[in-house]
Amino acid sequence: MLEWFRVSRNNSSPYFRDGMMQDLPQLESELLGAIDGARDLAALNEVRVSALGKKGRVTALMRGLGQMDAAERAQAGPAFNALKDKIAEAVESRRAALADAELDARLAQEKIDVTLPVRPEAQGHIHPVSQVTDELIAIFADMGFSVAEGPDIEDDFHNFTALNIPPEHPARQMHDTFYLAEGPDGERKVLRTHTSPVQIRHMMNTPPPHRIIAPGRTYRSDSDITHTPMFHQVEGLVIDKTTHMGHLKGCLEEFARAFFEVDDLRMRFRPSYFPFTEPSAEMDIGCERKDGELRIGVGEDWLEILGCGMVHPKVLDHVGIDPTEYQGFAFGMGIDRIAMLKYGIPDLRAFFESDLRWLRHYGFVPLDVPTLAQGLSR
Ligand code: PHE
């Protein structure tokens, strides 16, 4: 026991103030007891503040050192410091223990019994359009494409003019366009007739090189067993300095094999025409039509699945890309159409009727997210 400690002093040190005497070991055991008794982190924090906080009891001791004479300080300093360290250590180890216990309690409480059956009312289905869109994204993401988006309501420039379809061009009639009412500036907006305007927006907003797909809704005034006024397309665009038609072919063949999940899929490219590509082509895949049924990857017949081509120099000009420096390819494909082909769905109109029986039959399990590693469709 320190001698000075038992002597009542009448100096200005807070430790000795008012002749107050404290027994250091008693203070220590009192604080350690309180630390041990703290039942949660909040209670422990209170004890810590009462000892080591600005107005804490140990802090007050330390402050008193300033008023001591050198001899006193030489004795009291190390003793107070040792007490402070000991209390801080005890607080820390109690804090760790309480935190562990709190985590254990939470883990025990948040336990989920994964063997419980799924509640029947929790079973929704993924629409084939969403499923196929996810499959497309998985395939093209693996080839280094990212996803771009554009608005459903377009202006004439993005939907037509920039794509080398000037006013009065017959291709405008081919599209059965829905026009909106005239705006204050006299301009009539359109519901985009294809996803190709997203090419334009993307090329105008970001510098080359480009490697994107753009899935989304498209609109044409048309309705029968294979046409609905609203349908879905996915656009593809690759622009850099060296991309040529061989890359277009390789990319789309790779896509078709992955999508239809047929390794030896027969494919061919037929010359075609689009105002925004030159040369242009359509891609067919091998199939068989027998007894009113269509089978992909077998037989001698052909089925068209997409349009494509090398981006026309005039399109690059419109978006401010130098066609003597940059080139590349684009393609466009009907998502609903390839969904019908892959999953044997006969009538396109049923896609958008929200008939629960149809959704249950043709829908996909929500937790089976398509990935190349795990398989696109199971
Ligand atoms: N936009 C075309 C269509 O809707 C498809 C296409 C896109 C063709 C890109 C070539 C290149 O028919």
Side-chain angles (χ1 to χ4, degrees):
M1 198 53 49
L2 298 169
E3 206 46 46
W4 53 267
F5 192 61
R6 296 198 176 281
V7 179
S8 175
R9 297 287 298 264
N10 200 15
N11 64 11
S12 57
S13 149
Y15 181 66
F16 294 109
R17 191 177 293 150
D18 303 325
M20 180 185 77
M21 282 203 301
Q22 283 196 35
D23 190 319
L24 212 51
Q26 191 198 313
L27 176 60
E28 178 182 311
S29 77
E30 197 183 306
L31 289 174
L32 289 179
I35 291 166
D36 243 13
R39 262 178 294 114
D40 54 30
L41 291 172
L44 178 66
N45 195 45
E46 267 175 39
V47 179
R48 185 187 63 78
V49 171
S50 78
L52 304 174
K54 252 197 204 152
K55 294 181 182 153
R57 293 166 74 183
V58 178
T59 312
L61 287 181
M62 303 293 291
R63 232 179 248 142
L65 287 172
Q67 275 90 51
M68 292 181 185
D69 59 40
E72 277 174 350
R73 191 161 38 236
Q75 267 195 311
F80 290 178
N81 265 316
L83 174 65
K84 186 178 141 205
D85 290 349
K86 197 160 187 181
I87 297 302
E89 223 168 79
V91 167
E92 178 49 33
S93 76
R94 182 73 184 144
R95 196 201 55 75
L98 284 173
D100 273 359
E102 259 173 42
L103 182 62
D104 283 347
R106 242 181 65 204
L107 287 175
Q109 208 182 26
E110 291 175 3
K111 196 164 59 186
I112 299 172
D113 184 352
V114 291
T115 64
L116 285 174
V118 173
R119 275 197 220 125
E121 68 267 28
Q123 277 180 355
H125 285 91
I126 300 296
H127 193 284
V129 171
S130 304
Q131 167 77 17
V132 166
T133 304
D134 286 348
E135 293 181 20
L136 291 167
I137 292 172
I139 294 169
F140 283 104
D142 194 59
M143 293 194 237
F145 285 72
S146 47
V147 174
E149 289 183 313
D152 287 19
I153 297 176
E154 264 300 1
D155 51 36
D156 189 276
F157 174 76
H158 291 91
N159 196 79
F160 293 123
T161 308
L163 288 160
N164 196 29
I165 315 176
E168 315 309 330
H169 193 287
R172 293 206 176 190
Q173 265 66 60
M174 275 162 45
H175 280 207
D176 303 307
T177 312
F178 284 115
Y179 284 92
L180 274 66
E182 229 173 68
D185 53 357
E187 197 205 323
R188 296 190 74 177
K189 298 241 171 158
V190 301
L191 293 180
R192 66 178 178 194
T193 57
H194 49 180
T195 41
S196 300
V198 186
Q199 285 185 38
I200 302 300
R201 288 186 178 275
H202 188 75
M203 287 191 284
M204 292 181 89
N205 291 336
T206 25
H210 301 292
R211 188 180 291 211
I212 52 137
I213 57 167
R217 293 194 177 100
T218 45
Y219 307 82
R220 289 181 201 179
S221 178
D222 207 351
S223 186
D224 59 38
I225 189 164
T226 54
H227 296 90
T228 48
M230 190 280 298
F231 58 106
H232 298 83
Q233 283 193 341
V234 61
E235 194 79 9
L237 174 73
V238 175
I239 299 286
D240 58 31
K241 292 183 177 173
T242 54
T243 294
H244 54 68
M245 193 113 184
H247 295 123
L248 174 157
K249 199 163 171 259
C251 170
L252 292 176
E253 287 182 351
E254 173 87 18
F255 150 74
R257 264 186 231 110
F259 178 76
F260 290 104
E261 298 174 71
V262 178
D263 283 340
D264 56 352
L265 188 63
R266 287 188 311 127
M267 288 168 266
R268 72 175 182 190
F269 287 80
R270 259 182 308 103
S272 183
Y273 172 74
F274 300 102
F276 33 90
T277 47
E278 181 60 34
S280 303
E282 279 172 329
M283 181 175 156
D284 297 343
I285 56 172
C287 69
E288 180 184 67
R289 294 180 180 88
K290 223 165 99 190
D291 310 323
E293 227 184 82
L294 178 83
R295 292 172 64 203
I296 306 283
V298 292
E300 299 300 308
D301 291 338
W302 293 104
L303 187 77
E304 182 228 314
I305 61 159
L306 60 85
C308 57
M310 300 304 291
V311 176
H312 199 295
K314 284 195 179 171
V315 173
L316 296 176
D317 261 341
H318 273 298
V319 298
I321 293 180
D322 181 356
T324 62
E325 197 183 347
Y326 284 97
Q327 58 182 24
F329 63 84
F331 59 88
M333 171 162 58
I335 294 181
D336 325 78
R337 183 170 157 74
I338 59 168
M340 290 169 80
L341 294 175
K342 179 168 179 179
Y343 294 112
I345 311 175
D347 188 340
L348 177 62
R349 290 169 297 196
F351 272 62
F352 310 115
E353 281 169 358
S354 303
D355 184 331
L356 273 181
R357 292 164 303 180
W358 186 91
L359 286 169
R360 275 187 203 116
H361 183 77
Y362 288 111
F364 292 80
V365 179
L367 298 177
D368 262 349
V369 179
T371 65
L372 288 184
Q374 287 187 41
L376 292 175
S377 59
R378 276 185 293 164

